Amino acid sequence: MTRLLDATSERESELAECLAIVQRIYNDDADSWYQEWMRAAEVMRGGACSLADAGLLEAARRKWLRAVNYYEVAASSIGSCPVRSQSVDAGIRTCALDYLSLGVRQGEVVTIAWRPDYPLEAYFLPASDRPEPAPMVVCICEPGRRKEKSLLMLAGHAAERGLSLLVVDLLGPGPTSRFEDIVGHRDLETAIGSVMDYVCGRDDVDDGRIAILADDWSSSFVARGIALDPRYAAAVCDAGLWDIHERVCLSRRLTPDERACLPSASECRVARQIMCPLLVALPDRGWLRADIATRLVAQMKREHLDVTLKIFPSDRGGVCDAQSNAAIFDWIAARLAGAPKLPS
């Protein structure tokens, strides 16, 4: 409940709605939590479709996003029940498909070649109805996370800035996740290059102006991927901070002589190999203290001048709130505007 309320944007109305749902849940009925939240999610999804049919697309998007949040809350009580898990996943997916078909611009579900017998699935939204190549933001979800919420949260920010949007996860195609087939592989970051290969093959994308955004901003997975692929024009990720953080933790177990052999932030392999402009966006209360992040990014800037650190307050309703995402998309749009356009 706390995570759900942290994600709300219209606090008073959403709080009243959530409390009304909770009042219908009985402590002596183990199924009532799942049933009531699923019922609320279905009602919210139906309301979103009605608003979209009436042309109120922004209000509809907010309702679809709230429906996804309710589905996720319902999932918190299902344990290992595969039938209920599939119902939740199908409901979340339907919200995204509704948005793609009923939104301002018709989106599509696309398949991206990656591993043999394990393609990726993504949602694509064009910048406009015109066919000429447009700059693009690729949002890639952390391993094991779904892409539907990111689509609903970020689509408006991309559209306002004339950017196409591609949202990708590693769960495999279709409503049923196959992530257990590949979880634990050491080279998941190769997906970053496969996504770029697909994007560059589209006639409606300017492949000189493609940015990548980690769904929770600070992703070491994305950083490792773009270190292997220099084609991205801008990136929002941890820029190698997690790699450095691991080295710091390791150094506490070493002797002073061994510690001296560890590279500094400016010598980190991941950070040194990333060539595009970087935004490191972190909450002020997250996995890495703000003062440590500031010091490490200052060291990075000795080798990579275009690294920006932005610390966002985490008490405004969740880490990835609308205001913070707007600031991130402003940074992306500015960097892509400065990237060279492809000749028409």
Side-chain angles (χ1 to χ4, degrees):
M1 278 295 297
T2 300
R3 288 195 299 270
L4 174 64
L5 295 177
D6 279 346
T8 60
S9 56
E10 301 169 356
R11 288 302 183 83
E12 293 182 4
S13 62
E14 294 182 18
L15 175 60
E17 184 176 86
C18 293
L19 292 178
I21 297 169
V22 170
Q23 288 174 353
R24 298 195 296 268
I25 296 172
Y26 298 95
N27 289 335
D28 58 353
D29 183 356
D31 294 330
S32 62
W33 178 276
Y34 170 81
Q35 292 168 350
E36 292 300 332
W37 284 108
M38 286 293 287
R39 183 179 296 114
E42 293 293 327
V43 170
M44 190 63 61
R45 182 167 66 84
C49 292
S50 298
L51 287 171
D53 290 338
L56 303 174
L57 297 174
E58 179 55 27
R61 184 192 63 80
R62 292 196 297 268
K63 276 189 177 290
W64 275 312
L65 183 56
R66 287 166 66 182
V68 169
N69 287 332
Y70 291 173
Y71 281 121
E72 290 182 342
V73 174
S76 66
S77 68
I78 62 180
S80 59
C81 177
V83 174
R84 290 186 171 182
S85 179
Q86 290 171 11
S87 296
V88 168
D89 290 347
I92 292 174
R93 180 179 174 85
T94 301
C95 289
L97 298 179
D98 288 344
Y99 179 74
L100 291 177
S101 62
L102 298 174
V104 177
R105 300 177 317 284
Q106 293 292 303
E108 58 181 309
V109 182
V110 302
T111 301
I112 299 172
W114 181 33
R115 293 172 176 269
D117 301 322
Y118 195 103
L120 302 175
E121 183 181 82
Y123 298 137
F124 173 76
L125 276 175
S128 68
D129 295 328
R130 293 172 294 182
E132 62 264 20
M136 165 174 275
V137 175
V138 173
C139 174
I140 188 158
C141 300
E142 280 291 282
R145 292 179 59 167
R146 299 188 62 93
K147 58 187 174 295
E148 286 78 10
K149 181 180 285 189
S150 293
L151 170 71
L152 292 167
M153 290 179 65
L154 303 179
H157 296 296
E160 290 169 3
R161 293 159 181 82
L163 305 173
S164 295
L165 178 67
L166 186 79
V167 186
V168 193
D169 62 29
L170 301 186
L171 300 178
T176 304
S177 170
R178 294 176 52 205
F179 187 60
E180 65 277 3
D181 294 351
I182 60 164
V183 66
H185 284 251
R186 295 177 58 85
D187 59 347
L188 295 182
E189 60 268 19
T190 59
I192 306 298
S194 296
V195 170
M196 176 58 90
D197 291 340
Y198 166 79
V199 170
C200 289
R202 292 189 65 108
D203 294 334
D204 53 0
V205 174
D206 182 346
D207 60 14
R209 295 191 293 160
I210 301 171
I212 188 166
L213 164 67
D215 68 332
D216 66 347
W217 307 342
S218 52
S219 171
S220 59
F221 158 69
V222 170
R224 293 193 302 272
I226 61 175
L228 300 172
D229 195 318
R231 293 175 289 176
Y232 287 94
V236 181
C237 61
D238 85 335
L241 285 185
W242 179 258
D243 185 61
I244 299 166
H245 184 60
E246 285 186 321
R247 293 172 186 272
V248 171
C249 292
L250 175 63
S251 71
R252 295 170 182 165
R253 304 181 181 182
L254 302 178
T255 66
D257 290 341
E258 292 172 326
R259 195 176 303 143
C261 297
L262 286 176
S264 66
S266 61
E267 298 169 328
C268 170
R269 180 187 63 82
V270 173
R272 287 177 65 89
Q273 291 181 354
I274 297 175
M275 307 305 296
C276 65
L278 290 166
L279 173 62
V280 181
L282 298 172
D284 57 359
R285 293 194 297 274
W287 64 271
L288 186 63
R289 279 172 31 195
D291 59 327
I292 296 176
T294 301
R295 184 173 69 251
L296 292 177
V297 170
Q299 294 178 32
M300 286 183 188
K301 290 179 74 71
R302 298 171 188 170
E303 299 287 336
H304 195 311
L305 298 180
D306 198 348
V307 180
T308 303
L309 174 65
K310 179 67 176 177
I311 305 293
F312 290 102
S314 55
D315 56 357
R316 291 201 308 231
V319 175
C320 300
D321 71 343
Q323 295 181 42
S324 303
N325 279 324
I328 287 172
F329 269 78
D330 284 342
W331 180 90
I332 290 174
R335 290 305 187 277
L336 293 185
K341 292 186 178 182
L342 290 180
S344 58

